[in-house]
């Protein structure tokens, strides 16, 4: 009995004597941004319980703003209080971007981005895209935990239908076409679609919520669901440890405050999780000519290994509950966007899964060279049966720290119709 008591004493005495720490004063020094913005964005507040884990997660929230050239953090402990000092080097930027892609279809894309010009840590953008299928205009603003986006799209495209329930892809930024490879379709007709969409999202720690009204009018060259498809969407999302991208500020050296941290190996594997659900409804109350009901769910799991290689698994589910043709599920929306395809399958509901492994061949101060093999599969319910759309392949890409887009080449083999596509990650395809 004495031995048991002695072991109990050895095991639990350190825990009983461990000092509980609390956050004291938080002091911010910054180049030009309003210091109060950083204090509001920093999750730890005076009086909160202090731990190594919460302190590191709070630092990541400032890195994720992607507006700082450098971020230094220091602490000073007095009794059970830990004072935190944040030294931030920030700036501002304006950046116009334009690119032209000429492949099966021609696409012209123009944009203008700004960051922190008004010293509030904001980012804003306006974009325009023009292609053979139509055009779109959009603008957005991110200010602390608020996001607002407005987008207008005018599409005038041709829909083509092939055996085994395949149909062509279309859209402003879509450069793929199926005409040469798959020959004459079983049926084809024109679609015209004009839509105006507003989106407001609010972030609350790892959680975020959004609401999005959309005003849409659709017409066809034959009798389908012509008319208004006005609808209202709302949703909830959760993201934990999912790494954010570098953003446009990287071109000016901003947003790279954690670059050296990212180049170093992890002491232990890190896991990330994300999930979101959204519900869409439309009817006479929204000015729609049809009853529209849609449910969308998305799940993501990632494991970042010690050497920074990333294993990811994504699952998507969507159901349109008998909504009209223009609101049908598309198999490409259920895939993880790893592969490139010329055709898709439409239906009333479906589910998809994607597995990928990002293996870094090179990591240095210039950029990241990665090879990402993948496999993705979707099942879509149409014509009273589930039809599958699956693909496998790999992407070899190089991402400069100072350039926010990866540059590389992608190979995709469509396992369902046995077609192959070799394409540039930015631009066209062979």
């Amino acid at each position: 009995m004495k031995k048991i008591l002695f072991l109990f004493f050895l095991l639990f005495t350190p825990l009983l004597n461990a000092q509980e720490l609390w956050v004291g004063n938080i002091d911010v020094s910054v180049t030009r941004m309003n210091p109060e913005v950083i204090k509001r964005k920093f999750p730890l507040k005076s009086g909160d319980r202090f731990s190594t884990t919460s302190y590191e997660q709070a630092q990541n929230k400032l890195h994720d703003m992607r507006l700082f050239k450098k971020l230094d953090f220091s602490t000073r402990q007095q009794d059970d209080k830990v004072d935190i000092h944040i030294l931030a080097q920030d700036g501002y930027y304006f950046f116009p971007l334009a690119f032209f892609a000429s492949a099966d279809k021609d696409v012209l894309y123009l944009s203008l981005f700004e960051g922190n010009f008004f010293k509030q840590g904001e980012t804003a953008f306006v974009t325009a895209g023009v292609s053979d299928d139509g055009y779109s205009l959009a603008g957005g603003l991110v200010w602390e935990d608020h996001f607002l986006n407005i987008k207008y799209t005018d599409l005038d495209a041709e829909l083509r239908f092939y055996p085994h329930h395949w149909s062509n892809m279309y859209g402003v930024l879509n450069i793929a076409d199926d005409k040469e490879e798959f020959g004459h379709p079983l049926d084809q007709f024109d679609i015209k679609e004009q839509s105006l969409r507003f989106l407001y999202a609010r972030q609350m720690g790892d959680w975020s919520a959004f609401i999005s009204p959309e005003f849409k009018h659709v017409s066809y060259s034959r009798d389908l669901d012509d008319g208004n498809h006005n609808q209202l969407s709302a949703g909830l999302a959760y993201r934990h440890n999912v790494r954010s991208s570098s953003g446009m500020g990287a071109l000016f050296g901003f947003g790279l405050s954690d670059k050296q941290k990212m180049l170093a190996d992890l002491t232990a594997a890190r896991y990330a999780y994300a999930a979101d659900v959204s519900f869409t409804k439309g009817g006479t109350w929204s000015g729609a000519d049809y009853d529209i009901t849609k449910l969308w769910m998305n799940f993501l799991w990632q494991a970042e290994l010690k050497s920074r290689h990333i294993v990811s698994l994504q699952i998507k589910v969507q159901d349109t509950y008998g909504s009209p043709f223009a609101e049908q599920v598309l198999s490409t929306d259920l895939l993880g966007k790893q592969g490139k395809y010329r055709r898709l399958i439409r239906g009333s509901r479906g589910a998809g899964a994607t597995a990928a492994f990002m293996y870094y061949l090179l990591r240095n101060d210039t950029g990241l060279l990665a090879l990402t093999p993948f496999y993705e599969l979707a099942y879509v319910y149409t014509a009273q049966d589930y039809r599958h759309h699956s693909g496998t392949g790999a992407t070899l890409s190089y991402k400069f720290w100072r350039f926010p887009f990866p540059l590389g080449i992608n190979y995709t083999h469509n396992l369902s119709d046995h077609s192959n596509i070799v394409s540039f990650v930015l631009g066209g395809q062979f």
Side-chain angles (χ1 to χ4, degrees), residues 2-211:
K2 290 182 178 179
K3 291 182 179 180
I4 295 175
L5 291 174
F6 180 69
L7 289 174
F8 180 86
F9 177 80
L10 290 178
L11 289 173
F12 290 96
T13 297
L15 297 177
L16 295 173
N17 294 333
Q19 184 181 22
E20 197 169 35
L21 300 177
W22 305 88
V23 177
N25 296 322
I26 300 177
D27 181 47
V28 177
S29 300
V30 69
T31 308
R32 65 189 303 275
M33 188 187 298
N34 183 351
E36 294 303 316
V37 173
I38 296 179
K39 287 185 178 181
R40 287 195 295 267
K41 192 67 177 178
F42 195 64
L44 286 179
K45 311 298 180 186
S46 296
D48 289 351
R49 182 178 283 104
F50 180 90
S51 69
T52 303
T53 301
S54 62
Y55 182 45
E56 182 178 358
Q57 291 176 350
Q59 293 179 46
N60 291 337
K61 291 296 183 181
L62 294 190
H63 288 302
D64 287 347
M65 291 178 70
R66 299 301 168 201
L67 287 171
F68 302 102
K69 182 175 292 186
K70 188 176 181 181
L71 276 171
D72 287 326
F73 301 88
S74 59
T75 60
R76 185 180 62 178
Q77 183 177 342
Q78 292 181 336
D79 298 327
D80 62 345
K81 295 290 183 66
V82 179
D83 296 332
I84 300 174
H85 178 68
I86 303 171
L87 177 61
Q89 295 182 18
D90 67 319
Y92 71 95
Y93 64 87
F94 284 95
F95 181 69
L97 176 68
F99 72 80
F100 175 74
S102 182
D104 297 338
K105 299 179 182 180
D106 296 333
V107 174
L108 175 64
Y109 179 81
L110 304 171
S111 63
L112 177 64
F113 297 85
E114 73 87 12
N116 202 36
F117 180 77
F118 299 100
K119 303 180 181 181
Q120 300 300 312
E122 83 291 339
T123 57
F125 66 89
V126 291
T127 63
V130 182
S131 76
D132 299 346
D133 288 338
Y135 68 91
S136 67
L137 304 170
L141 171 67
V142 181
W143 183 73
E144 296 189 25
D145 294 329
H146 304 272
F147 175 77
L148 177 66
N149 183 61
I150 303 173
K151 183 177 182 180
Y152 176 76
T153 303
D154 191 322
L155 292 177
D156 187 352
E158 188 178 70
L159 296 181
R160 294 181 292 276
F161 300 86
Y162 299 90
H164 308 295
H165 305 279
W166 290 101
S167 61
N168 67 304
M169 298 177 61
Y170 67 95
V172 172
L173 296 181
N174 174 54
I175 59 173
D177 205 345
D178 55 291
K179 284 185 176 180
E180 294 184 4
E181 186 167 356
F182 299 103
H184 296 291
L186 298 177
D187 191 15
Q188 64 184 53
F189 52 86
D190 295 329
I191 177 175
K192 292 185 178 182
E193 179 182 307
Q194 297 86 33
S195 66
L196 177 63
R197 185 187 185 200
F198 300 87
L199 172 66
Y200 170 74
R202 173 76 161 85
Q203 187 174 349
M204 299 155 287
D206 288 339
W207 293 88
S208 62
F210 81 88
I211 186 168

Side-chain angles (χ1 to χ4, degrees), residues 196-324:
L196 177 63
R197 185 187 185 200
F198 300 87
L199 172 66
Y200 170 74
R202 173 76 161 85
Q203 187 174 349
M204 299 155 287
D206 288 339
W207 293 88
S208 62
F210 81 88
I211 186 168
S212 175
E214 181 178 10
F215 305 92
K216 181 164 69 173
H217 182 83
V218 183
S219 59
Y220 305 88
S221 59
R222 64 173 52 187
D223 187 21
L224 273 174
D225 50 7
D226 294 55
N228 294 327
H229 290 244
N230 302 337
Q231 51 197 270
L232 178 67
S233 301
L236 188 66
Y238 174 80
R239 291 169 61 90
H240 179 70
N241 276 345
V242 179
R243 186 191 302 175
S244 62
S245 60
S246 57
M248 285 297 175
L251 291 158
F252 303 87
F254 306 123
L256 304 179
S257 54
D258 58 349
K259 186 178 82 169
Q260 295 305 317
K261 180 181 177 182
M262 293 296 102
L263 286 172
D265 288 348
L266 294 171
T267 56
R270 189 181 73 160
Y271 300 96
Y273 314 90
D276 59 81
V277 58
S278 63
F279 182 74
T280 301
K281 189 67 180 174
T284 54
W285 60 272
S286 64
D289 296 321
Y290 307 89
D291 182 45
I292 300 170
T293 304
K294 294 189 289 185
L295 177 66
W296 173 264
M297 292 183 289
N298 180 33
F299 308 92
L300 173 68
W301 173 86
Q302 285 184 344
E304 188 172 7
L305 309 181
K306 289 184 179 181
S307 52
R308 294 288 184 177
H309 309 309
I310 298 176
V311 181
S312 63
L313 175 64
Q314 189 171 23
I315 299 174
K316 298 181 179 181
V317 179
Q318 188 176 9
D319 198 327
T320 60
Y321 299 98
S323 297

